[in-house]
Amino acid sequence: MRSDAVRKGMQQAPHRSLFHALGMTKEEMERPLVGIVSSYNEIVPGHINLDKIVNAVKMGVAMAGGTPVVFPAIAVCDGIAMGHSGMKYSLVTRDLIADSTEAMAMAHQFDALVMVPNCDKNVPGLLMAAARINVPTIFVSGGPMLAGKVRGEKRSLSSMFEAVGAYSAGTMTEEDVEEFENHVCPTCGSCSGMYTANSMNCLTEVLGMGLKGNGTIPAVYSQRIKLAKQAGMQVMELYRKNICPKDIMTKDAILNALTVDMALGCSTNSMLHLPAIAHEIGWDFDIAFANKISEKTPNLCHLAPAGYTYMEDLNEAGGVYAVMNELKKKDLLNLDCITVTGKTVGENISNCINKNPEVIRPVENPYSKTGGLAVLTGNLAPDGGVVKRSAVCEEMMVHEGPARVFDCEEDAISAIKSGEIKAGDVVVIRYEGPKGGPGMREMLNPTSAIAGMGLGSSVALITDGRFSGASRGASIGHISPEAAVGGPIALVHEGDSIRIDIPNNRLELLVSHEELEQRRIKWKPKEPKVTTGYLARYAAMVTSGNRGAVLEITK
């Protein structure tokens, strides 16, 4: 056993004395040591129930012959961090989570791991750590929140942000907003639409690192507790068979995840996290490759914010495996990839039928013949920008308009809410990228304000920052290179014409090459917004959005 390094032999007698100090029996010390990474805290709604999930996992591990030992991982609530300086600390936690989990697992020589995450950066951070540590590992999330109900209609967190925009536009009263506030988030769990947390939990199933239902069983269902017990038992099977994350998270598995991402219409943030996970297995993932996948992958789901169905509906319709079984009909998945079940993808999804063609469209009748995400390139984004195509209305798929330029999110929100943004405009928010932010803030507040003020079908937004999975509309993020390193987005002037052509994957600044070169000569870098602490170190090491904002040592 790997843990023999801390528990067996005379040289380890001091180590054993410390295990005795924990109250561990001789019998427990003779069993495989299973680390359970608990993301429980009392500030994130998706994590407030994880103590119950962890207890169920511990029971499963113990029933199957292992010794469970819990240690923590941090997690930020993106909704609470949204729209202020706290959002600079969201994406950056992904790497803190990966690093600290790696440190704990390696320092204590666990034989196997069970990861218990739920929200946005927590899931990819632990997937990255799993690849690095590479001992038998399984994931079980805390599950999604149930949809709220306002006046008889299902609602979610994105509805709440848009209600604030509607209030600013004068189309909602304070009492209306309060009604939304009290009802859109009715239970614990990750917010109820196909936002980033649920996107990544669903893709964990596709990658083969979580059991069936990991992404879709609601947090408040008893079935979620059963799933946690099953995960605890199954990690012991992985241990006995020595099936490790790098056996499961292969290049083919990541391509499967990208394919299902397109069918589900996942958050644009998956285009940060899949490249980062790929980086951990030694694959340099080029986001432009996503368009090749998208060209042949039908979009089968329009979950909120793209439509009016929610995670609970996807669960009842058959879940992620049912979506995969639809894609199997077009031979779009590698069915031979091994998974934490010990079986292949093909074995897992066989007989997983689509129970509701209104929630999961059959491949013969998709929402569109192409996938939910697109990567746009052009002279404004030479290394790419990402848009959730499935959440863009038809009239904005091709758009040309004047640039309204802002060097931070706050200035853009102020202009939107004060009525300065007009139909046809293209809002440009820059110096919010991985380095420039630093931390690549999400832009749910401006996108929601645009939608709430009735401009969602006439105003576009582009940024070197990123968008919440709850954002919808012609919102194009991850513009690379970012403004802070002199990318073309830094050269845009107020009133310049910008052309967006999503069907042809193009994003162009309609300014001559000669003029752009003159502007480039005059451009000077801005002073860093943060010069001390973790954010300063992060800014010094982080790569661009098109590379997944991974950290690299500068040579």
Side-chain angles (χ1 to χ4, degrees):
M1 288 189 290
R2 179 190 179 94
S3 60
D4 286 353
V6 296
R7 294 193 297 182
K8 293 292 174 74
M10 183 55 66
Q11 292 299 315
Q12 279 66 42
H15 305 68
R16 290 195 298 275
S17 71
L18 295 170
F19 281 105
H20 283 298
L22 296 172
M24 198 173 284
T25 66
K26 180 180 179 181
E27 290 80 6
E28 286 174 297
M29 279 190 258
E30 291 175 348
R31 295 176 178 178
L33 197 63
V34 180
I36 301 173
V37 185
S38 171
S39 304
Y40 169 78
N41 64 43
E42 294 184 342
I43 189 64
V44 185
H47 292 226
I48 191 70
N49 66 318
L50 294 189
D51 55 341
K52 296 176 179 62
I53 303 297
V54 167
N55 285 337
V57 170
K58 288 174 67 177
M59 185 176 293
V61 169
M63 285 192 296
T67 297
V69 179
V70 179
F71 65 90
I74 63 169
V76 163
C77 177
D78 278 24
I80 294 174
M82 194 71 65
H84 56 86
S85 61
M87 182 45 74
K88 295 178 185 290
Y89 287 89
S90 173
L91 178 61
V92 305
T93 65
R94 184 187 71 184
D95 296 272
L96 277 177
I97 291 161
D99 292 349
S100 59
T101 302
E102 175 193 358
M104 286 292 288
M106 299 304 292
H108 301 102
Q109 294 291 290
F110 289 103
D111 296 301
L113 295 168
V114 183
M115 306 295 198
V116 188
N118 210 25
C119 288
D120 295 27
K121 312 309 165 304
N122 203 241
V123 181
L126 291 179
L127 285 166
M128 292 162 66
R132 289 183 201 173
I133 301 160
N134 203 37
V135 299
T137 302
I138 195 168
F139 278 65
V140 57
S141 78
M145 183 184 292
L146 293 178
K149 284 191 176 179
V150 180
R151 299 173 189 174
E153 293 185 2
K154 285 186 178 181
R155 298 288 188 173
S156 61
L157 184 65
S158 53
S159 306
M160 185 70 253
F161 278 88
E162 290 177 13
V164 175
Y167 175 78
S168 298
T171 57
M172 266 197 183
T173 66
E174 187 174 344
E175 290 74 20
D176 292 332
V177 174
E178 185 176 4
E179 185 175 3
F180 272 74
E181 179 184 333
N182 289 331
H183 294 98
V184 296
C185 296
T187 73
C188 63
S190 47
C191 297
S192 57
M194 187 55 81
Y195 310 145
T196 306
N198 293 325
S199 294
M200 293 310 302
N201 281 320
C202 287
L203 296 185
T204 298
E205 279 190 60
V206 185
L207 285 168
M209 292 297 294
L211 298 174
K212 180 186 178 185
N214 179 68
T216 60
I217 297 170
V220 294
Y221 283 14
S222 301
Q223 191 180 354
R224 175 63 57 178
I225 300 297
K226 293 180 182 179
L227 185 73
K229 292 175 183 174
Q230 290 163 352
M233 290 186 281
Q234 187 59 29
V235 78
M236 296 308 299
E237 281 298 305
L238 295 173
Y239 167 75
R240 294 181 185 104
K241 295 176 180 177
N242 195 31
I243 298 174
C244 296
K246 284 186 178 177
D247 299 322
I248 296 170
M249 288 193 289
T250 61
K251 179 178 177 179
D252 283 337
I254 292 173
L255 292 177
N256 278 350
L258 183 55
T259 300
V260 178
D261 184 316
M262 295 297 175
L264 284 170
C266 290
S267 164
T268 51
N269 282 313
S270 62
M271 294 303 292
L272 282 174
H273 302 321
L274 287 177
I277 295 163
H279 179 75
E280 296 294 343
I281 67 164
W283 178 31
D284 190 8
F285 182 110
D286 182 351
I287 65 167
F289 186 70
N291 287 338
K292 297 178 182 177
I293 298 287
S294 184
E295 285 171 9
K296 59 184 181 180
T297 306
N299 177 225
L300 305 181
C301 298
H302 268 192
L303 294 135
Y308 299 98
T309 54
Y310 296 82
M311 295 306 298
E312 62 202 67
D313 302 312
L314 178 59
N315 186 62
E316 291 167 12
V320 175
Y321 279 16
V323 175
M324 295 173 75
N325 219 13
E326 288 289 344
L327 297 175
K328 175 183 171 184
K329 297 174 185 176
K330 292 193 71 173
D331 196 27
L332 293 172
L333 298 174
N334 186 316
L335 302 178
D336 295 326
C337 295
I338 196 69
T339 72
V340 291
T341 65
K343 300 177 181 178
T344 64
V345 168
E347 290 172 314
N348 285 344
I349 67 175
S350 63
N351 302 319
C352 291
I353 62 170
N354 180 357
K355 300 175 184 177
N356 189 341
E358 297 300 316
V359 176
I360 304 171
R361 289 275 187 95
V363 289
E364 301 83 7
N365 181 35
Y367 282 102
S368 66
K369 293 181 180 179
T370 53
L373 298 181
V375 175
L376 311 187
T377 55
N379 68 345
L380 189 50
D383 294 335
V386 182
V387 64
K388 189 168 183 174
R389 175 165 49 192
S390 60
V392 180
C393 62
E394 187 61 35
E395 51 266 46
M396 290 299 290
M397 295 296 280
V398 176
H399 178 77
E400 185 177 317
R404 305 299 310 278
V405 183
F406 305 93
D407 286 352
C408 67
E409 178 189 5
E410 288 84 355
D411 290 349
I413 292 170
S414 177
I416 294 165
K417 291 189 174 180
S418 64
E420 296 174 38
I421 304 302
K422 307 298 181 185
D425 287 348
V426 179
V427 176
V428 178
I429 305 177
R430 61 191 181 187
Y431 296 99
E432 291 285 9
K435 285 184 179 292
M440 203 178 186
R441 287 196 286 180
E442 285 189 342
M443 302 290 170
L444 180 56
N445 273 354
T447 59
S448 297
I450 288 169
M453 297 186 76
L455 297 171
S457 60
S458 60
V459 169
L461 193 157
I462 70 170
T463 181
D464 53 7
R466 60 195 178 90
F467 295 109
S468 165
S471 293
R472 62 186 176 97
S475 304
I476 304 162
H478 309 193
I479 301 296
S480 301
E482 63 175 290
V485 299
I489 192 172
L491 310 179
V492 181
H493 286 185
E494 183 80 8
D496 285 348
S497 289
I498 292 174
R499 180 172 174 80
I500 299 164
D501 185 349
I502 295 173
N504 290 304
N505 303 318
R506 300 297 296 171
L507 180 61
E508 301 286 350
L509 178 61
L510 302 182
V511 173
S512 71
H513 176 73
E514 292 74 18
E515 171 63 18
L516 282 179
E517 286 305 305
Q518 288 299 312
R519 294 182 186 180
R520 192 179 305 280
I521 292 169
K522 296 176 182 178
W523 178 80
K524 293 181 179 179
K526 286 185 176 290
E527 289 295 318
K529 295 176 184 175
V530 180
T531 58
T532 60
Y534 177 54
L535 287 179
R537 296 197 301 275
Y538 181 88
M541 297 175 68
V542 72
T543 61
S544 63
N546 69 299
R547 295 191 56 206
V550 298
L551 301 186
E552 288 187 343
I553 298 171
T554 303
K555 296 180 181 179

